[in-house]
Amino acid sequence: MSLETLNKRVQSDLAYLNYRGPNWVRPKTHAEGHVFDVVIVGGGQSGLGIAFGLLRERVSNILVIDENKEGLEGPWETYARMVTLRTPKHLTSIDLGVPSLTFRSWWEAQFGVEGWEKIDKIPRGDWMNYLRWYRQTLQLPVQNEVKLTLIEPLEKGLHRLHIKKKGASSSLLARKVILATGIQGGGEWHVPPMISDNLPSHLYAHTSSLIDFDSLEGKKVAILGGGASAFDNAHYALSQGIAEAHVFVRRQKMQRINPIRQMEVSGMIEHFPALSDKDKYAGIAHFFQHNQPPTNDTFNRASSWSGFHLHLSSPWVKVTEKGKQAEITTPKGNYLFDFLFISTGLLTDPKLRPELHLLEKHIARWKDCYAAPAEIAAPTLDAHPYLSPGFAFISRDKEGEPLLHGIYSFNYAALISCGLSASALSGMRYGIPRIVTAITDELFLDDKDANLKDFFEYDVEEFTGEWPVNQEDTSEVI
C-alpha cells in the first residue's frame, strides 16, 4: 500500500461514517463579527483529535489556533529529545476508532507490515510526521502563529479571545474555548528557586527550553531529576558532543515501576472519572510517588556513553556561581559544571496562566472541594483545578459560574479530575470522546428552549400514502 492508496481509503471510511455532515448548531450572531461555536487552543495531538471529534459530531463552526509555525506544534521537534515515544506502539489514540487513521496504517502504507513488526516504539520524528499527515488528510481548520493572550468573558457562553497573530493584536469570539495546551498548559515549567535565585540565566535551562547544544560541545553538564526526561536529555546531550553528562537523583535507587503500564490494561484510564474524589486524589498521589522512570532503551542509550554519570542519593542542597561555572553541593560532595539542565517537571495552577487572568480567582481548585488525608496531602496536587468529568472548569462561587461557562481544560491540569485522559497519549482515545460529548451536550442545552420549540412545532409531512389505494379493491370478503 502507498500513502496515496491510504488517503483514498481514509476518505472512503469517512464517507461511510457521514463525516462532516450538515452542521446542527444554531449560529450565534454578534455586532463584533463572526462567533465560533468552538475555538481549540493548541494544534498538537490533543487539539487535532478534538477537532476531528467535533467534526464527526457535525459541529463544523470551529477553529484551532496554535502559537507555533505550521509543522512545529507540540514538543516533538522543539524540546522533546527522546529517540522514540514512551507509549507502546500498538495503543491507538487520535484515530478515534477509524482503522485507516491509525499510526500503524500510516506506517505500514510506507514501510509494510514487516516494517511495523521491526519497530519497538514509535520514532519521535515519525510521530510528528504522522500528525502533519493527519491534519492535512482530515483538512482540519488550523491557524498557526496565533497566540492566545487573554480570555475575556462577555456574557454567559460568549468569550472574547485576545490573540496575537504574527505580532499583531486582534480578537476572536467563541462560545466554547478548549485549552488543549499540553503538559505545560495548566501551569508552568518549574525551576527551583535555589537555582534561579543564585545563578545567572546563562548557566542553566529547564529541559523544556530550546538549548544551544553547539555552544556546549566538549563541556561538562549536570542534569537534575530522575525521570524519563532527564535520561532523554543526557543521551541527546552526549550525542551532540557534550563531554560529560551527570544525572543527579535524590532517591537511593532508581524508580522501576511505571504505573502507566498498569493503567493502560486495567480500565483505570478510561474509568478514572467514575472514581470518588477520595480515590482520585489517592490514585494520583500514588502516581506522583512513582512518576515515570526512563524506558529501558533510553537508559541503555544514555548509560552506554563513556561520559555518562549517575549520582544516586544526591539531592542538590546548594547551588552557587563559581567563576564561569556552577558549583553544586550534594550530601556526597561538591561538583563544578559548565551548564545545568533542570528536569524538575512543572507546577500546575490556573493562577500561573496569563490567559486565565480574569477568571482564575473563580476557578475551583481541589483544595476547595476535597480535604486530603495528611499522609498524602500535597500543595502541588491541591492547586490543580477541580474539573467536571467533561473537563469543564467549575466555579468556586456564584459570580464565576456564568464567566466560566463554556471553558474547558484538556491539558495536564486535568490529571486529578479526569486522570491520564488528557495527559498521556494512551488516554486520548477515552478523553477526546468524553470532552466532545460534554461540549456538544452543552451547545445543545444552551439553545434548549429553541431546540425544543422547533421539535414540538415540527409539522413537515413525510408520509404521502393514500387510502383507499386507487385500484380495484381485492380485499372484499365474499
Side-chain angles (χ1 to χ4, degrees), residues 41-170:
V41 183
Q45 58 197 24
S46 296
L48 297 179
I50 294 170
F52 174 47
L54 289 169
L55 290 170
R56 281 189 63 174
E57 294 303 317
R58 299 186 294 116
V59 178
S60 58
N61 180 27
I62 67 174
L63 178 66
V64 182
I65 60 174
D66 193 281
E67 63 183 310
N68 299 294
K69 293 182 178 180
E70 184 172 349
L72 296 177
E73 304 85 0
W76 309 114
E77 293 198 357
T78 52
Y79 64 83
R81 300 186 180 104
M82 70 279 282
V83 174
T84 66
L85 305 193
R86 301 172 190 136
T87 310
K89 69 177 183 180
H90 62 272
L91 293 181
T92 56
S93 55
I94 59 175
D95 53 88
L96 302 187
V98 180
S100 57
L101 277 175
T102 61
F103 178 86
R104 178 174 180 174
S105 290
W106 178 82
W107 183 269
E108 289 186 355
Q110 301 165 91
F111 307 108
V113 175
E114 290 185 0
W116 174 255
E117 296 300 329
K118 288 180 181 178
I119 64 169
D120 176 44
K121 294 184 178 70
I122 296 172
R124 171 172 56 87
D126 289 301
W127 179 253
M128 187 67 230
N129 287 332
Y130 164 72
L131 294 178
R132 293 172 180 136
W133 169 82
Y134 179 97
R135 167 181 169 175
Q136 181 179 14
T137 300
L138 294 174
Q139 297 182 322
L140 300 176
V142 184
Q143 288 187 13
N144 287 89
E145 299 181 68
V146 179
K147 180 179 177 62
L148 173 67
T149 59
L150 185 69
I151 301 174
E152 178 189 2
L154 299 180
E155 59 187 62
K156 183 178 180 180
L158 182 63
H159 307 278
R160 180 187 291 124
L161 307 185
H162 296 260
I163 61 173
K164 284 191 174 180
K165 187 173 183 179
K166 297 183 178 180
S169 298
S170 59

Side-chain angles (χ1 to χ4, degrees), residues 223 229-239 245-247 302 305 308 341:
I223 302 171
S229 178
F231 292 86
D232 290 333
N233 277 271
H235 165 69
Y236 187 85
L238 291 164
S239 73
H246 295 246
V247 175
W305 291 91
F308 175 83
F341 287 32

Side-chain angles (χ1 to χ4, degrees), residues 390-439:
F391 301 90
F393 284 120
I394 293 174
S395 181
R396 57 168 41 137
D397 51 48
K398 285 291 184 182
E399 180 187 357
E401 290 178 3
L403 306 179
L404 291 172
H405 184 80
I407 304 180
Y408 296 79
S409 179
F410 196 84
N411 53 37
Y412 205 74
L415 184 61
I416 307 180
S417 299
C418 302
L420 290 180
S421 49
S423 311
L425 193 59
S426 51
M428 296 290 168
R429 62 178 296 193
Y430 310 111
I432 290 174
R434 186 174 293 119
I435 192 172
V436 167
T437 296
I439 290 167

Side-chain angles (χ1 to χ4, degrees), residues 16 50 145 161 166 186 216 227 231 249 279 294 334 339 375 401 418 433 468 478:
Y16 286 138
I50 294 170
E145 299 181 68
L161 307 185
K166 297 183 178 180
L216 297 174
F231 292 86
V249 181
D279 291 333
N334 292 4
F339 195 78
E375 61 270 19
E401 290 178 3
C418 302
I478 298 177

Side-chain angles (χ1 to χ4, degrees), residues 272-289:
F272 187 91
L275 293 173
S276 67
D277 285 355
K278 174 184 176 182
D279 291 333
K280 287 180 179 180
Y281 196 101
I284 299 304
H286 177 78
F287 176 79
F288 274 30
Q289 179 186 357

Side-chain angles (χ1 to χ4, degrees), residues 163-458:
I163 61 173
K164 284 191 174 180
K165 187 173 183 179
K166 297 183 178 180
S169 298
S170 59
S171 63
L172 301 169
L173 296 177
R175 298 178 66 181
K176 311 298 172 190
V177 183
I178 305 172
L179 299 175
T181 42
I183 188 170
Q184 79 279 17
E188 64 182 15
W189 296 109
H190 176 56
V191 175
M194 173 183 62
I195 298 165
S196 58
D197 291 348
N198 293 298
L199 287 182
S201 59
H202 68 269
L203 283 179
Y204 71 91
H206 195 279
T207 51
S208 65
S209 305
L210 298 178
I211 298 173
D212 181 6
F213 284 89
D214 290 340
S215 68
L216 297 174
E217 185 175 355
K219 300 296 178 88
K220 180 180 176 182
V221 304
I223 302 171
L224 176 62
S229 178
F231 292 86
D232 290 333
N233 277 271
H235 165 69
Y236 187 85
L238 291 164
S239 73
Q240 298 300 302
I242 285 176
E244 294 184 28
H246 295 246
V247 175
F248 288 81
V249 181
R250 70 175 182 271
R251 300 176 189 268
Q252 294 180 355
K253 297 180 180 180
M254 285 289 298
Q255 276 299 107
R256 296 184 177 273
I257 298 171
N258 184 352
I260 296 179
R261 297 291 89 89
Q262 194 276 342
M263 297 170 81
E264 288 167 346
V265 299
S266 64
M268 184 79 162
I269 293 178
E270 54 263 52
H271 301 294
F272 187 91
L275 293 173
S276 67
D277 285 355
K278 174 184 176 182
D279 291 333
K280 287 180 179 180
Y281 196 101
I284 299 304
H286 177 78
F287 176 79
F288 274 30
Q289 179 186 357
H290 286 283
N291 209 330
Q292 188 176 16
T295 59
N296 290 316
D297 53 313
T298 294
F299 179 80
N300 291 336
R301 273 191 292 265
S303 61
S304 68
W305 291 91
S306 60
F308 175 83
H309 302 270
L310 178 60
H311 303 261
L312 298 173
S313 300
S314 298
W316 293 2
V317 295
K318 185 179 180 182
V319 178
T320 58
E321 182 180 10
K322 189 170 184 179
K324 295 181 178 181
Q325 294 179 300
E327 183 176 36
I328 295 169
T329 301
T330 79
K332 294 185 175 182
N334 292 4
Y335 307 83
L336 285 174
F337 293 98
D338 299 302
F339 195 78
L340 310 182
F341 287 32
I342 314 303
S343 185
T344 48
L346 54 91
L347 296 176
T348 296
D349 191 331
K351 73 179 180 182
L352 300 175
R353 301 304 308 172
E355 66 271 16
L356 295 175
H357 173 68
L358 300 178
L359 298 167
E360 69 87 11
K361 68 179 180 181
H362 302 292
I363 294 173
R365 272 69 154 184
W366 266 82
K367 65 183 178 183
D368 299 317
C369 304
Y370 177 69
E375 61 270 19
I376 62 171
T380 52
L381 297 184
D382 292 337
H384 282 65
Y386 187 92
L387 305 175
S388 77
F391 301 90
F393 284 120
I394 293 174
S395 181
R396 57 168 41 137
D397 51 48
K398 285 291 184 182
E399 180 187 357
E401 290 178 3
L403 306 179
L404 291 172
H405 184 80
I407 304 180
Y408 296 79
S409 179
F410 196 84
N411 53 37
Y412 205 74
L415 184 61
I416 307 180
S417 299
C418 302
L420 290 180
S421 49
S423 311
L425 193 59
S426 51
M428 296 290 168
R429 62 178 296 193
Y430 310 111
I432 290 174
R434 186 174 293 119
I435 192 172
V436 167
T437 296
I439 290 167
T440 53
D441 281 350
E442 193 171 79
L443 283 168
F444 181 83
L445 293 176
D446 285 348
D447 295 326
K448 178 190 68 173
D449 292 343
N451 289 331
L452 288 177
K453 180 176 181 293
D454 285 352
F455 171 71
F456 290 129
E457 294 180 355
Y458 180 76

Side-chain angles (χ1 to χ4, degrees), residues 23-53:
N23 185 59
W24 59 266
V25 184
R26 293 174 176 274
K28 188 177 182 67
T29 60
H30 193 273
E32 289 187 18
H34 183 76
V35 179
F36 288 99
D37 292 324
V38 184
V39 169
I40 302 166
V41 183
Q45 58 197 24
S46 296
L48 297 179
I50 294 170
F52 174 47

